[in-house]
Amino acid sequence: MKKEKLIPDLTLYKKSIILHNIPLDIVKEQIKEYAGLYEDPVKKEYNFHMTTLPGNSEWVYLEFPYAEGITHYNNFWHYQNLMLWLSMKADMQFCLAFPDSQDSSLFLSQMDTSNSFGDTVIGIFEDRDFSFCVPGSIFKWISLPQTGFNGQEYLDKVFGFDMQLLSGLEECKWEDYNVILTFEGD
């Protein structure tokens, strides 16, 4: 599948959606609503974990689960689309994924605010900018690789988010929420 090769493979990444100024119960409602939007033939249960961040409870950390047996393209599509869906209730949001290996780079994406339809994300992966339009699943690399992208500096400047807030996640009070997401056949 051509799309499969273009889309970043985040299989070995710990994926999160980080949201600002949205209560956990609204996050759950939005996930439930999102899960009901699609009725594709392949069904998979997703167990979402979420918590408010220590040091600043205005930020919610939503862990996007790994779905075994689902292509990385389909997981990526839902990962980005869910962030866009949650943006309707949060005042700031972005996807942040950390690799299992120190040799791999950070993944960061956010809503493309220049698109009035609210259906496109822009981001950086492996020091290269990209855009992804959810309708049509159009993924494009939009620039040549940069070197030395400073994710912390960018998050602080654009979102006022300090990655130090992510330290201590293991001590947080986590809430789980299970839903069935559906996928087109692979």
Side-chain angles (χ1 to χ4, degrees), residues 37-60:
L37 293 175
Y38 306 101
E39 294 186 20
D40 294 314
V42 179
K43 295 176 181 358
K44 184 76 174 176
E45 183 174 6
Y46 272 66
N47 184 19
F48 290 93
H49 304 290
M50 63 191 83
T51 188
T52 56
L53 290 179
N56 190 334
S57 61
E58 292 180 355
W59 287 100
V60 169

Side-chain angles (χ1 to χ4, degrees), residues 155-170:
L155 290 172
D156 188 38
K157 180 179 160 188
V158 174
F159 296 101
F161 183 81
D162 183 354
M163 285 199 353
Q164 291 292 359
L165 291 172
L166 299 177
S167 63
L169 279 175
E170 61 279 346

Side-chain angles (χ1 to χ4, degrees), residues 17 41 56 76 97 102 115 137 160:
I17 300 173
N56 190 334
F76 183 87
Q102 297 295 336
N115 177 337
S137 302

Side-chain angles (χ1 to χ4, degrees), residues 133-148:
C133 183
V134 172
S137 302
I138 302 166
F139 183 91
K140 293 180 188 173
W141 293 110
I142 56 177
S143 71
L144 295 175
Q146 306 173 15
T147 55

Side-chain angles (χ1 to χ4, degrees), residues 81 84-85 87-88 111-121 133-135:
N81 197 30
L84 292 172
W85 182 259
S87 74
M88 292 187 294
M111 179 191 296
D112 181 358
T113 56
S114 69
N115 177 337
S116 61
F117 295 109
D119 60 5
T120 302
V121 300
C133 183
V134 172

